[in-house]
């Protein structure tokens, strides 16, 4: 009896579902076309790099175009302050880590496309254990990065992206965009040793697109678990199409007498105030 009823309901709503889904196909086609055209807009860059020597340069640029187009389509993504980043020479971008750092992907895409710079990105250890991502990490220069190797890279004039809060900040920061750097000042030590300019980076609304579901008491429990095992166990939700905009701040002034702790806290204060 119940089964019959279910069948009847299914029979009743099937046309409704179909009628609602069909326009979606057209929407997907329309958005797909828009995406294709946006990528095509960057074709001269693609052709240029396809003839260059680095075999991965073309792939990197093509993917950057794709992510750039997607960011524009889904979030109306904008980046302010790109011109502040030097065309060559060392620099460190220090950013607040959203639940999923999509803002960083879009910014990296714009840096590849407009600055033609190959940023080195310091990634959390767990990234290197995700199955199937090895090549992705390699081509986009995501590295585990010890302090010494980072100083070395900056001394060679590389551009570097760092999130001091990392996955911990991703999971346990909140709707107030609380910065969770703790006493982490490694990035400041590196910048001081390499005498590299430090640019604070913050993205408006990044936490309105992806979030973690936290329930009061469990949050502190999960945090303890994370601090012990460094495993991001919580699945995020969202990818809401909200408008996000990244701001690159002015380099934080410091001199050789500045301590790493002071520099770290100054960068974090600026990151808060940009927000
Ligand atoms: C965020 O800030 C508001 C206003 O200061 C406060 O009421 C709220 O508790 C804060 N949320 C968290 C999770 O700290």
């Amino acid at each position: 009896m119940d089964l019959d009823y279910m069948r009847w309901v299914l029979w009743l709503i099937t046309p409704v579902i179909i009628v609602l889904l069909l326009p979606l196909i057209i929407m997907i086609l329309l958005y797909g076309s828009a995406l294709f055209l946006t990528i095509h807009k960057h074709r001269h860059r693609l052709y240029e790099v396809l003839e260059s020597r680095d075999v991965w340069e073309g792939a990197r640029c093509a993917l950057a175009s794709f992510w750039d187009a997607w960011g524009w389509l889904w979030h109306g993504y904008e980046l302010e302050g790109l011109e502040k980043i030097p065309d060559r020479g060392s620099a460190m971008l220090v950013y607040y880590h959203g639940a999923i750092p999509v803002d960083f992907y879009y910014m990296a895409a714009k840096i590849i496309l407009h600055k033609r710079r190959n940023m080195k990105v310091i990634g959390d250890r767990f990234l290197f254990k995700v199955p199937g991502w090895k090549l992705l990490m390699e081509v986009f220069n995501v590295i585990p990065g010890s302090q010494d190797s980072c100083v070395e890279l900056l001394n060679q004039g590389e551009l570097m992206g760092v999130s001091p809060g990392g996955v911990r900040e991703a999971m346990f920061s909140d709707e107030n965009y609380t910065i969770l750097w703790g006493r982490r000042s490694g990035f400041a030590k590196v910048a001081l040793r390499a005498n590299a300019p430090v640019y604070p980076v913050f993205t408006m609304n990044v936490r309105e697109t992806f979030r973690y579901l936290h329930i009061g008491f469990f949050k502190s429990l999960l945090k303890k678990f994370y601090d012990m095992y460094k495993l991001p166990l919580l699945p995020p939700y969202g990818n809401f199409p909200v408008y996000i905009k990244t701001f690159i701040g002015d380099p934080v002034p410091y001199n050789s007498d500045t301590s790493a702790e002071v520099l770290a806290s100054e960068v974090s204060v600026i990151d808060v105030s940009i927000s």
Side-chain angles (χ1 to χ4, degrees):
M1 177 79 175
D2 265 353
L3 203 66
D4 276 350
Y5 176 69
M6 289 303 291
R7 269 202 206 124
W8 179 76
V9 170
L10 207 64
W11 174 81
L12 199 68
I13 62 172
T14 301
V16 179
I17 293 175
I18 290 172
V19 163
L20 287 177
L21 282 184
L22 283 181
L24 263 183
I25 295 174
I26 290 298
M27 286 310 269
I28 291 170
L29 290 180
L30 285 174
Y31 275 118
S33 306
L35 201 61
F36 169 79
L37 288 178
T38 312
I39 292 167
H40 194 66
K41 212 165 71 181
H42 292 304
R43 70 192 175 282
H44 54 281
R45 287 206 192 91
L46 292 183
Y47 295 152
E48 220 173 280
V49 295
L50 281 175
E51 284 158 17
S52 67
R53 264 163 292 157
D54 183 351
V55 287
W56 292 112
E57 190 63 23
R60 227 178 345 247
C61 239
L63 275 177
S65 300
F66 171 78
W67 280 88
D68 190 45
W70 173 252
W72 163 77
L73 199 70
W74 198 244
H75 298 286
Y77 181 73
E78 286 185 298
L79 174 61
E80 194 177 304
L82 182 63
E83 74 286 348
K84 292 175 189 171
I85 298 177
D87 289 332
R88 58 183 66 79
S90 67
M92 189 189 260
L93 301 178
V94 179
Y95 65 100
Y96 170 82
H97 204 306
I100 301 282
V102 282
D103 56 325
F104 190 78
Y105 310 158
Y106 304 141
M107 179 179 74
K110 285 201 187 293
I111 288 174
I112 290 171
L113 292 173
H114 300 288
K115 281 276 159 185
R116 309 305 297 278
R117 291 202 67 166
N118 236 330
M119 181 165 42
K120 300 278 189 283
V121 183
I122 311 303
D124 193 272
R125 259 164 299 175
F126 96 91
L127 285 175
F128 304 94
K129 296 183 189 135
V130 180
W133 279 14
K134 192 167 171 283
L135 190 59
L136 189 64
M137 299 291 126
E138 246 172 64
V139 173
F140 285 95
N141 303 301
V142 185
I143 49 172
S146 66
Q147 281 192 21
D148 288 335
S149 65
C150 290
V151 172
E152 176 81 28
L153 286 169
L154 287 172
N155 282 337
Q156 289 163 10
E158 297 283 356
L159 175 64
M160 187 173 281
V162 191
S163 168
V167 174
R168 193 166 188 270
E169 185 166 80
M171 289 200 297
F172 302 108
S173 183
D174 51 35
E175 70 268 24
N176 292 342
Y177 294 78
T178 312
I179 278 177
L180 291 183
W181 297 358
R183 274 195 287 268
R184 294 181 188 183
S185 56
F187 78 92
K189 283 195 192 104
V190 168
L192 281 163
R193 277 172 63 192
N195 194 24
V198 178
Y199 296 80
V201 174
F202 182 83
T203 301
M204 184 176 85
N205 282 347
V206 65
R207 224 160 248 283
E208 318 308 317
T209 168
F210 281 101
R211 283 189 172 225
Y212 286 101
L213 186 64
H214 278 303
I215 308 158
F217 159 77
F218 288 104
K219 185 169 179 177
S220 53
L221 210 69
L222 270 169
K223 205 166 175 178
K224 280 204 188 95
F225 180 85
Y226 177 78
D227 286 341
M228 257 176 173
Y229 300 105
K230 300 277 184 273
L231 280 173
L233 277 189
L234 214 55
Y237 69 93
N239 200 14
F240 302 116
V242 296
Y243 167 61
I244 59 177
K245 179 172 183 178
T246 297
F247 297 87
I248 298 174
D250 291 322
V252 179
Y254 67 84
N255 56 42
S256 51
D257 296 332
T258 314
S259 74
E261 288 71 24
V262 169
L263 179 57
S265 83
E266 267 168 24
V267 177
S268 73
V269 168
I270 291 172
D271 230 12
V272 172
S273 66
I274 299 178
S275 70

